[in-house]
């Protein structure tokens, strides 16, 4: 038993040393900011930003999500020969997807509201987290008082 503890300690020590060596090597390979004209990361983020800023992409995304949630809901509650266990699972997936959409709406709404008022990314994340936490607290309070779920 003691030998296993010593072996585990030695392996974890080697892992820590290897991590420090890897970080030191990565830090040594870095170049000064502005040395490259445009690295791959900047090119990819700029392209994704352009795509995300296009209204057509948002419209197509909305349609895909709406049709997908509607189709899975119809498949779950309709009489299409789907087994009962699978229908319950599909309905749970729909509930989870709608819940994630609502949480994303609350978080991103608060985030962009903070960013639109000139605050930084950290302030936006804090506002989004705070708003999402408040929604969770309200849902828990309503669940305890009224019992909306189950």
């Amino acid at each position: 038993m003691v030998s296993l503890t010593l072996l585990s300690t030695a392996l974890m020590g080697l892992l820590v040393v290897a991590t420090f060596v890897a970080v030191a090597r990565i830090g040594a390979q870095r170049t000064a900011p502005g040395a490259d004209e445009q690295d791959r990361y900047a090119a990819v983020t700029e392209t994704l930003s352009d795509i995300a800023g296009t209204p057509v992409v948002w419209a197509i995304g909305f349609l895909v999500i709406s049709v997908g949630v509607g189709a899975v809901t119809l498949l779950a509650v309709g009489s299409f020969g789907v087994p009962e266990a699978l229908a319950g699972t599909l309905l749970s997936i729909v509930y989870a997807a709608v819940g994630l959409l609502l949480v994303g709406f609350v978080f991103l709404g608060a985030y962009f509201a903070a960013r639109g008022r000139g605050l930084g990314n950290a302030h936006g994340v804090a506002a989004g987290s705070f708003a999402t936490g408040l929604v969770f607290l309200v849902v828990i309070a309503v669940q305890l008082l009224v019992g909306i779920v189950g």
Side-chain angles (χ1 to χ4, degrees):
M1 188 62 102
V2 174
S3 62
L4 241 96
T5 304
L6 289 175
L7 179 65
S8 172
T9 304
L11 287 176
M12 291 306 289
L14 287 174
L15 181 66
V16 168
V17 169
T19 303
F20 278 114
V21 168
V23 168
R25 293 186 78 194
I26 289 171
Q29 295 173 354
R30 288 182 137 175
T31 59
D36 295 316
E37 292 176 10
Q38 186 176 15
D39 58 348
R40 182 180 296 164
Y41 175 76
V44 168
T45 55
E46 184 177 331
T47 304
L48 290 177
S49 175
D50 291 341
I51 290 172
T54 308
V56 173
V57 173
W58 285 96
I60 291 172
F62 174 76
L63 288 175
V64 167
I65 290 171
S66 299
V67 169
V69 167
V72 173
T73 303
L74 283 176
L75 192 62
V77 299
S79 299
F80 297 110
V82 177
E84 288 290 325
L86 183 60
T89 303
L90 288 175
L91 203 56
S92 297
I93 289 172
V94 168
Y95 289 149
V98 170
L100 283 174
L101 287 172
L102 289 175
V103 167
F105 176 76
V106 168
F107 181 85
L108 290 175
Y111 174 81
F112 286 120
R115 293 283 295 155
R117 286 170 175 73
L119 299 175
N121 286 335
H123 294 101
V125 170
S129 300
F130 185 73
T132 306
L134 283 178
V135 169
F136 282 136
L137 283 176
V138 167
V139 168
I140 289 170
V142 170
Q143 170 64 24
L144 290 173
L145 290 174
V146 181
I148 57 173
V149 178

PDB file of all heavy atoms in Angstrom, residues 56-66:
ATOM      1  N   VAL A  56     -28.366  37.276 -42.230  1.00  0.00           N
ATOM      2  CA  VAL A  56     -28.869  36.059 -42.876  1.00  0.00           C
ATOM      3  C   VAL A  56     -28.483  34.826 -42.061  1.00  0.00           C
ATOM      4  O   VAL A  56     -29.279  33.889 -41.911  1.00  0.00           O
ATOM      5  CB  VAL A  56     -28.328  35.966 -44.322  1.00  0.00           C
ATOM      6  CG1 VAL A  56     -28.690  34.652 -44.958  1.00  0.00           C
ATOM      7  CG2 VAL A  56     -28.843  37.119 -45.145  1.00  0.00           C
ATOM      8  N   VAL A  57     -27.300  34.826 -41.497  1.00  0.00           N
ATOM      9  CA  VAL A  57     -26.858  33.694 -40.673  1.00  0.00           C
ATOM     10  C   VAL A  57     -27.748  33.570 -39.443  1.00  0.00           C
ATOM     11  O   VAL A  57     -28.139  32.466 -39.055  1.00  0.00           O
ATOM     12  CB  VAL A  57     -25.368  33.866 -40.278  1.00  0.00           C
ATOM     13  CG1 VAL A  57     -24.942  32.817 -39.287  1.00  0.00           C
ATOM     14  CG2 VAL A  57     -24.491  33.823 -41.513  1.00  0.00           C
ATOM     15  N   TRP A  58     -28.086  34.700 -38.816  1.00  0.00           N
ATOM     16  CA  TRP A  58     -28.972  34.670 -37.654  1.00  0.00           C
ATOM     17  C   TRP A  58     -30.364  34.174 -38.037  1.00  0.00           C
ATOM     18  O   TRP A  58     -30.975  33.391 -37.298  1.00  0.00           O
ATOM     19  CB  TRP A  58     -29.061  36.060 -37.026  1.00  0.00           C
ATOM     20  CG  TRP A  58     -27.833  36.415 -36.265  1.00  0.00           C
ATOM     21  CD1 TRP A  58     -26.778  37.134 -36.709  1.00  0.00           C
ATOM     22  CD2 TRP A  58     -27.522  36.020 -34.935  1.00  0.00           C
ATOM     23  NE1 TRP A  58     -25.826  37.228 -35.738  1.00  0.00           N
ATOM     24  CE2 TRP A  58     -26.257  36.562 -34.629  1.00  0.00           C
ATOM     25  CE3 TRP A  58     -28.178  35.288 -33.969  1.00  0.00           C
ATOM     26  CZ2 TRP A  58     -25.642  36.375 -33.400  1.00  0.00           C
ATOM     27  CZ3 TRP A  58     -27.570  35.104 -32.742  1.00  0.00           C
ATOM     28  CH2 TRP A  58     -26.322  35.642 -32.469  1.00  0.00           C
ATOM     29  N   ALA A  59     -30.881  34.599 -39.186  1.00  0.00           N
ATOM     30  CA  ALA A  59     -32.206  34.162 -39.625  1.00  0.00           C
ATOM     31  C   ALA A  59     -32.223  32.667 -39.907  1.00  0.00           C
ATOM     32  O   ALA A  59     -33.152  31.954 -39.502  1.00  0.00           O
ATOM     33  CB  ALA A  59     -32.632  34.949 -40.859  1.00  0.00           C
ATOM     34  N   ILE A  60     -31.202  32.181 -40.596  1.00  0.00           N
ATOM     35  CA  ILE A  60     -31.128  30.748 -40.899  1.00  0.00           C
ATOM     36  C   ILE A  60     -30.966  29.940 -39.616  1.00  0.00           C
ATOM     37  O   ILE A  60     -31.600  28.888 -39.441  1.00  0.00           O
ATOM     38  CB  ILE A  60     -29.987  30.468 -41.902  1.00  0.00           C
ATOM     39  CG1 ILE A  60     -30.350  31.042 -43.269  1.00  0.00           C
ATOM     40  CG2 ILE A  60     -29.704  28.975 -42.009  1.00  0.00           C
ATOM     41  CD1 ILE A  60     -29.220  30.990 -44.279  1.00  0.00           C
ATOM     42  N   GLY A  61     -30.152  30.432 -38.691  1.00  0.00           N
ATOM     43  CA  GLY A  61     -29.987  29.742 -37.407  1.00  0.00           C
ATOM     44  C   GLY A  61     -31.290  29.667 -36.633  1.00  0.00           C
ATOM     45  O   GLY A  61     -31.629  28.627 -36.054  1.00  0.00           O
ATOM     46  N   PHE A  62     -32.041  30.773 -36.612  1.00  0.00           N
ATOM     47  CA  PHE A  62     -33.329  30.783 -35.934  1.00  0.00           C
ATOM     48  C   PHE A  62     -34.289  29.780 -36.562  1.00  0.00           C
ATOM     49  O   PHE A  62     -34.982  29.035 -35.856  1.00  0.00           O
ATOM     50  CB  PHE A  62     -33.935  32.191 -35.965  1.00  0.00           C
ATOM     51  CG  PHE A  62     -35.320  32.253 -35.415  1.00  0.00           C
ATOM     52  CD1 PHE A  62     -35.539  32.209 -34.054  1.00  0.00           C
ATOM     53  CD2 PHE A  62     -36.420  32.340 -36.262  1.00  0.00           C
ATOM     54  CE1 PHE A  62     -36.816  32.257 -33.537  1.00  0.00           C
ATOM     55  CE2 PHE A  62     -37.698  32.389 -35.764  1.00  0.00           C
ATOM     56  CZ  PHE A  62     -37.895  32.353 -34.394  1.00  0.00           C
ATOM     57  N   LEU A  63     -34.345  29.766 -37.888  1.00  0.00           N
ATOM     58  CA  LEU A  63     -35.234  28.821 -38.565  1.00  0.00           C
ATOM     59  C   LEU A  63     -34.836  27.376 -38.291  1.00  0.00           C
ATOM     60  O   LEU A  63     -35.701  26.520 -38.050  1.00  0.00           O
ATOM     61  CB  LEU A  63     -35.244  29.097 -40.070  1.00  0.00           C
ATOM     62  CG  LEU A  63     -35.966  30.369 -40.504  1.00  0.00           C
ATOM     63  CD1 LEU A  63     -35.805  30.585 -42.001  1.00  0.00           C
ATOM     64  CD2 LEU A  63     -37.430  30.287 -40.131  1.00  0.00           C
ATOM     65  N   VAL A  64     -33.550  27.082 -38.320  1.00  0.00           N
ATOM     66  CA  VAL A  64     -33.084  25.714 -38.065  1.00  0.00           C
ATOM     67  C   VAL A  64     -33.429  25.289 -36.642  1.00  0.00           C
ATOM     68  O   VAL A  64     -33.924  24.173 -36.416  1.00  0.00           O
ATOM     69  CB  VAL A  64     -31.566  25.606 -38.346  1.00  0.00           C
ATOM     70  CG1 VAL A  64     -30.995  24.320 -37.790  1.00  0.00           C
ATOM     71  CG2 VAL A  64     -31.300  25.712 -39.831  1.00  0.00           C
ATOM     72  N   ILE A  65     -33.190  26.170 -35.673  1.00  0.00           N
ATOM     73  CA  ILE A  65     -33.499  25.824 -34.280  1.00  0.00           C
ATOM     74  C   ILE A  65     -35.004  25.658 -34.094  1.00  0.00           C
ATOM     75  O   ILE A  65     -35.458  24.694 -33.456  1.00  0.00           O
ATOM     76  CB  ILE A  65     -32.931  26.895 -33.324  1.00  0.00           C
ATOM     77  CG1 ILE A  65     -31.412  26.806 -33.296  1.00  0.00           C
ATOM     78  CG2 ILE A  65     -33.489  26.725 -31.916  1.00  0.00           C
ATOM     79  CD1 ILE A  65     -30.736  27.933 -32.554  1.00  0.00           C
ATOM     80  N   SER A  66     -35.794  26.556 -34.659  1.00  0.00           N
ATOM     81  CA  SER A  66     -37.253  26.476 -34.510  1.00  0.00           C
ATOM     82  C   SER A  66     -37.813  25.210 -35.140  1.00  0.00           C
ATOM     83  O   SER A  66     -38.610  24.490 -34.518  1.00  0.00           O
ATOM     84  CB  SER A  66     -37.921  27.690 -35.150  1.00  0.00           C
ATOM     85  OG  SER A  66     -37.504  28.862 -34.535  1.00  0.00           O
TER      86      SER A  66
END
